[in-house]
């Protein structure tokens, strides 16, 4: 979907395909028929954006085979789909039985991360529709925080400089602008917008900015407007925004609340948990650690578990969808658009507690469409105009 901001910016809205497990071209193509086009039709949209996730092997294959990229582009066009953003945070194996910290490997201190990101950018430059102003690629926020030392930081700095050079070269060769967005995440080297402002200050901001994942922002208990002011003061553009919501509880000491929280303790993904207590924000690296006594239970908790945007859980659990609404308002409700790529990223549909998971393809299509419709309604309420073309 596309929306026109009052300042003339075209805002592209997509859903992220990392919810689907395919890691080869045939699987990616199959997603378009099974999910992409049916979601678009359910929304009644003339065009629907996909935030493609291309695993390492398929990204490498496409980068070396322009004909295969053209095949993918033709299939997108035929189904009324467009791609202006790619998710290059997960490298591979994102739907393995256990992912947890493996999602942060390789990190930006390692050359395979650089090569993968440049491959993805080159594919995106060829996939983008001709009238798209620019493309975006989201990536991990340097690395998981441990181990991280001076040598790794220096290697990452060199790789980011090479990344900027590679993106500039790509633009000169193709005429297409592709920017890369670092995505602050709890537990990582770049966890908050304050750390992004400090640690990415030396990056080339023409090519490298921030992906603002609102679930992560909420888990860190950051205020959206203060966060955006912080990034703006540092000259870091919000290259991309991931529309996402976290799990919130007001009283984690309540036995009924803890019992409900335990239903979200699953083995595939990492669910960093934060408590906003009298002494500040306290942390555990996963929900099971928090439930085992890792947090003092003196304030509300937020859990890195991406909840469907349109469907808040039953009390005593809650969603941070209000934080998402405030963030969209801060980004797009003013006289100037502060981002032009919005990607709905709920990759956790299949690990929701029993009874909340979608049933079959149609159930997932229905859920994805409902999230996008929720996002559409928020943007229309901010005064953006839908371009149904």
């Amino acid at each position: 979907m596309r929306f026109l901001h009052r300042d003339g910016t075209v805002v592209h809205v997509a859903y992220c395909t990392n919810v689907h497990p395919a890691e080869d071209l045939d699987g990616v193509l199959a997603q378009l028929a099974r999910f992409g086009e049916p979601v678009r039709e359910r929304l009644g949209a003339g065009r629907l954006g996909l935030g493609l996730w291309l695993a390492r092997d398929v990204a490498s294959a496409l980068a070396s085979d322009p004909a295969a990229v053209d095949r993918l582009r033709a299939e997108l066009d035929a189904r009324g789909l467009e791609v202006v953003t790619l998710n290059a945070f997960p490298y591979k194996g994102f739907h393995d039985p256990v992912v947890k910290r493996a999602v942060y490997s390789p990190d930006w201190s390692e050359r395979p991360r650089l090569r993968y990101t440049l491959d993805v950018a080159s594919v995106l430059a060829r996939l983008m529709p001709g009238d798209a102003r620019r493309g975006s690629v989201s990536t991990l926020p340097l690395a998981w925080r441990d181990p991280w030392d001076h040598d790794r930081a220096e290697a990452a700095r060199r790789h980011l400089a090479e990344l900027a050079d590679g993106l500039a070269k790509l633009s000169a060769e193709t005429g297409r602008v592709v920017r890369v967005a670092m995505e602050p995440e709890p537990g990582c080297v770049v966890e908050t917008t304050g750390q992004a402002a400090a640690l990415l200050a030396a990056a080339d901001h023409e090519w490298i900015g921030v992906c603002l994942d609102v679930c992560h922002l909420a888990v860190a208990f950051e205020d959206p407007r203060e966060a955006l002011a912080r990034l703006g003061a540092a000259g870091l553009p919000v290259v991309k925004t991931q529309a996402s919501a976290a799990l919130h509880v007001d009283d984690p000491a309540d036995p009924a609340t803890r019992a409900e929280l335990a239903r979200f303790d699953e083995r595939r993904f990492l669910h960093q948990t934060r408590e906003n207590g009298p002494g500040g924000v306290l942390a555990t690296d996963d929900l099971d650690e928090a439930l085992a006594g890792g947090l003092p239970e003196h304030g509300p908790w937020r859990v890195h578990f991406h909840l469907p945007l349109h469907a808040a859980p039953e009390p005593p659990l809650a969603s941070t969808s209000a934080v998402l609404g405030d963030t969209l308002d801060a980004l797009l409700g003013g006289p100037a658009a502060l981002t032009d790529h919005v990607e709905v990223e709920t990759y956790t549909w299949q690990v929701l507690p029993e009874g909340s998971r979608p049933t079959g393809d149609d159930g997932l299509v229905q859920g994805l469409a409902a999230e996008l419709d929720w996002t559409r309604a928020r943007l229309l309420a901010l005064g953006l105009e839908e371009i149904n073309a």
Side-chain angles (χ1 to χ4, degrees), residues 75-327:
E75 190 73 8
L76 289 163
D77 291 343
R79 298 188 181 279
L81 306 170
E82 70 171 16
V83 173
V84 300
T85 188
L86 294 182
N87 187 329
F89 193 133
Y91 188 77
K92 63 179 181 178
F94 193 56
H95 288 266
D96 286 351
V98 179
V99 178
K100 299 292 184 182
R101 288 180 178 81
V103 76
Y104 308 107
S105 181
D107 63 41
W108 274 100
S109 70
E110 301 169 274
R111 291 200 66 80
R113 175 61 64 172
L114 171 64
R115 291 195 295 269
Y116 169 55
T117 307
L118 287 173
D119 280 350
V120 166
S122 70
V123 172
L124 179 57
R126 196 174 184 97
L127 279 183
M128 281 192 295
D131 60 350
R133 180 184 176 195
R134 57 195 175 195
S136 64
V137 175
S138 50
T139 186
L140 76 160
L142 296 181
W144 185 252
R145 68 180 184 277
D146 181 37
W148 190 254
D149 55 25
H150 175 76
D151 289 345
R152 286 177 178 265
E154 280 299 299
R157 181 190 61 77
R158 293 192 299 270
H159 292 154
L160 292 183
E162 288 186 58
L163 173 66
D165 289 345
L167 295 172
K169 182 180 178 182
L170 178 67
S171 180
E173 292 173 349
T174 65
R176 312 312 302 272
V177 172
V178 176
R179 300 186 295 172
V180 168
M182 299 279 166
E183 182 183 327
E185 177 170 322
C188 293
V189 173
V190 179
E191 176 168 348
T192 64
T193 56
Q195 289 170 330
L199 297 176
L200 301 178
D204 187 336
H205 297 167
E206 181 178 358
W207 301 106
I208 299 172
V210 167
C211 171
L212 198 64
D213 185 310
V214 186
C215 172
H216 302 172
L217 187 81
V219 169
F221 288 93
E222 291 200 68
D223 176 85
R225 292 190 182 276
E226 291 177 3
L228 289 171
R230 200 173 292 121
L231 295 174
L236 273 170
V238 181
V239 169
K240 171 178 177 178
T241 300
Q242 285 177 330
S244 54
L247 179 61
H248 174 98
V249 296
D250 285 323
D251 183 10
D254 172 61
T257 298
R258 294 177 63 82
E260 287 300 310
L261 273 175
R263 298 178 66 228
F264 288 82
D265 178 20
E266 59 82 34
R267 64 193 293 261
R268 180 178 297 167
F269 300 119
L270 202 62
H271 299 296
Q272 302 93 312
T273 303
R274 299 293 183 265
E275 176 176 318
N276 193 16
V281 177
L282 304 175
T284 64
D285 288 338
D286 214 341
L287 178 57
D288 61 345
E289 298 172 25
L291 291 170
L295 294 174
E297 302 174 355
H298 293 157
W301 286 7
R302 287 180 179 171
V303 182
H304 177 214
F305 196 117
H306 288 221
L307 296 178
L309 304 186
H310 65 291
E314 293 293 326
L317 306 183
S319 162
T320 62
S321 59
V323 178
L324 175 55
D326 290 345
T327 304

Side-chain angles (χ1 to χ4, degrees), residues 359-383:
T359 302
D361 288 359
D362 189 64
L364 183 54
V365 166
Q366 182 177 345
L368 293 169
E371 290 195 291
L372 287 161
D373 200 42
W374 185 97
T375 306
R376 167 198 266 162
R378 281 0 180 232
L379 297 185
L380 292 175
L382 293 176

Side-chain angles (χ1 to χ4, degrees), residues 23-55:
E23 298 201 16
D24 57 31
L25 180 56
D26 287 343
V28 171
L29 290 168
Q31 294 170 7
L32 310 184
R34 288 179 61 192
F35 302 107
E37 186 174 17
V39 170
R40 180 186 63 77
E41 291 173 341
R42 189 176 290 263
L43 284 165
R47 188 182 330 197
L48 175 64
L50 300 182
L52 280 185
W53 172 56
L54 300 175

